[in-house]
Amino acid sequence: MSGVSVTKDAQDAAPAADDLVVLSNVNKHFGALHVLQDIDLSIARGEVVVVIGPSGSGKSTLCRTINRLETIDSGTITVDGKELPSEGRELARLRADVGMVFQSFNLFAHKTVLQNVMLGQLKVRKTDSAAALEKAKSLLDRVGVGSQADKYPAQLSGGQQQRVAIARALAMDPKVMLFDEPTSALDPEMINEVLEVMQQLAREGMTMVVVTHEMGFARSAANRVVFMADGKIVEEAAPEQFFSNPRSDRAKDFLSKILHH
Ligand SMILES: Nc1ncnc2c1ncn2[C@@H]1O[C@H](COP(=O)(O)OP(=O)(O)OP(=O)(O)O)[C@@H](O)[C@H]1O
Ligand SMILES: [Mg+2]
């Protein structure tokens, strides 16, 4: 893992060989709102990037464009050198390379935990059912909810459901995992059990983009912090540098609010 943040100048040149996700000059509007403005962001294989910024700055939209839950107006986004196609089976397959975990766990309510983790493997990856079962069990064990496999999502705590959602995303063998405020909907005592799973993934070398207000996680797990405001990347830096010495007034203002509330 590179761990070293790529400088802006280096990003403008040809993508480095180990860049896994590359956004170049990405623009997106919602009507008159220019929600993503000339976004250039390259994420190296194995890198953990934490995205922070005020509400409405475009963090979720940024995540959603990476696996094409949102289209873009101009620019390019590649994952492992490939642009996501706009539709069809190819999109489903390439989208599965990008695991996504949302604030609301989005599990299938009428399927058991085990079925939730098997489904994508069977439908999208065409894994045979014995292998899908084996993998689902081992992933559920890994995130600490193996004993809940036969329950339905509503029978689990929020923290358990979110760990199932992580297992479900991992079951597709994603190249990169996107987390959009994965702990924001959780009661405080459940936040750490989810963050610990994410910490472990980061240690194992998973490439991750994490939108979060958990600054402890950012400090300990991130290789780079990206600060967004008003649809732009205003600042990016290693966490210790960003938190101790933010350069922009926007970032200083934002940090003073979240660190002293
Ligand atoms: N589908 C949509 N249609 C129209 N406007 C939208 C849509 N989705 C988001 N927006 C607007 O785009 C802007 C950026 O939204 P986004 O959800 O990306 O922000 P965010 O940084 O994730 O905010 P938060 O911290 O509150 O989650 C906001 O002004 C939002 O109202
Ligand atoms: Mg958001």
Side-chain angles (χ1 to χ4, degrees):
M1 133 159 97
S2 93
V4 181
S5 71
V6 182
T7 67
K8 191 73 179 59
D9 288 346
Q11 270 183 33
D12 290 342
D18 67 344
D19 278 343
L20 182 60
V21 180
V22 180
L23 291 85
S24 318
N25 206 16
V26 168
N27 283 279
K28 178 171 181 70
H29 296 76
F30 283 121
L33 179 69
H34 197 172
V35 59
L36 296 178
Q37 304 182 25
D38 298 323
I39 301 289
D40 285 310
L41 179 65
S42 296
I43 297 153
R45 225 175 275 277
E47 190 179 21
V48 177
V49 172
V50 163
V51 180
I52 65 173
S55 180
S57 56
K59 307 179 299 294
S60 294
T61 306
L62 179 78
C63 281
R64 293 165 61 82
T65 60
I66 295 176
N67 71 350
R68 235 179 184 294
L69 287 172
E70 297 283 357
T71 57
I72 56 177
D73 300 335
S74 64
T76 57
I77 300 177
T78 58
V79 175
D80 213 2
K82 292 198 199 79
E83 235 177 298
L84 290 194
S86 50
E87 55 191 12
R89 197 167 297 166
E90 181 75 348
L91 174 62
R93 210 167 48 73
L94 287 176
R95 188 180 266 163
D97 287 344
V98 182
M100 181 129 187
V101 175
F102 303 89
Q103 179 176 329
S104 53
F105 326 121
N106 291 4
L107 296 172
F108 298 112
H110 57 288
K111 302 221 179 284
T112 66
V113 162
L114 192 66
Q115 287 166 341
N116 264 278
V117 183
M118 289 178 67
L119 199 65
Q121 300 184 68
L122 300 173
K123 300 265 183 212
V124 179
R125 293 297 195 209
K126 309 289 182 203
T127 311
D128 73 66
S129 52
L133 177 67
E134 191 79 0
K135 185 168 192 173
K137 284 183 169 167
S138 109
L139 282 168
L140 288 169
D141 282 340
R142 186 164 146 200
V143 300
V145 292
S147 59
Q148 315 293 324
D150 296 324
K151 291 189 182 167
Y152 287 86
Q155 298 172 295
L156 270 57
S157 74
Q160 290 171 329
Q161 288 186 59
Q162 193 60 302
R163 286 181 284 148
V164 173
I166 294 171
R168 184 176 61 171
L170 291 174
M172 307 299 276
D173 293 322
K175 292 176 175 166
V176 52
M177 288 280 286
L178 311 178
F179 294 86
D180 189 2
E181 302 204 27
T183 59
S184 305
L186 298 177
D187 292 336
E189 71 270 24
M190 292 168 194
I191 291 177
N192 276 340
E193 65 194 38
V194 172
L195 291 178
E196 274 163 24
V197 168
M198 292 167 60
Q199 288 271 13
Q200 182 61 32
L201 265 183
R203 278 195 295 272
E204 289 166 5
M206 175 61 77
T207 309
M208 295 164 61
V209 178
V210 184
V211 179
T212 185
H213 300 298
E214 294 296 331
M215 295 303 129
F217 176 85
R219 280 176 189 276
S220 61
N223 300 112
R224 182 161 43 134
V225 173
V226 167
F227 174 71
M228 283 187 79
D230 299 328
K232 297 193 189 84
I233 294 179
V234 173
E235 195 166 333
E236 49 184 312
E240 55 279 20
Q241 187 186 338
F242 180 79
F243 290 115
S244 62
N245 192 17
R247 294 185 303 270
S248 64
D249 290 341
R250 290 300 303 265
K252 283 177 196 162
D253 182 52
F254 177 78
L255 284 176
S256 73
K257 284 179 184 141
I258 60 161
L259 297 176
H260 306 295
H261 69 261

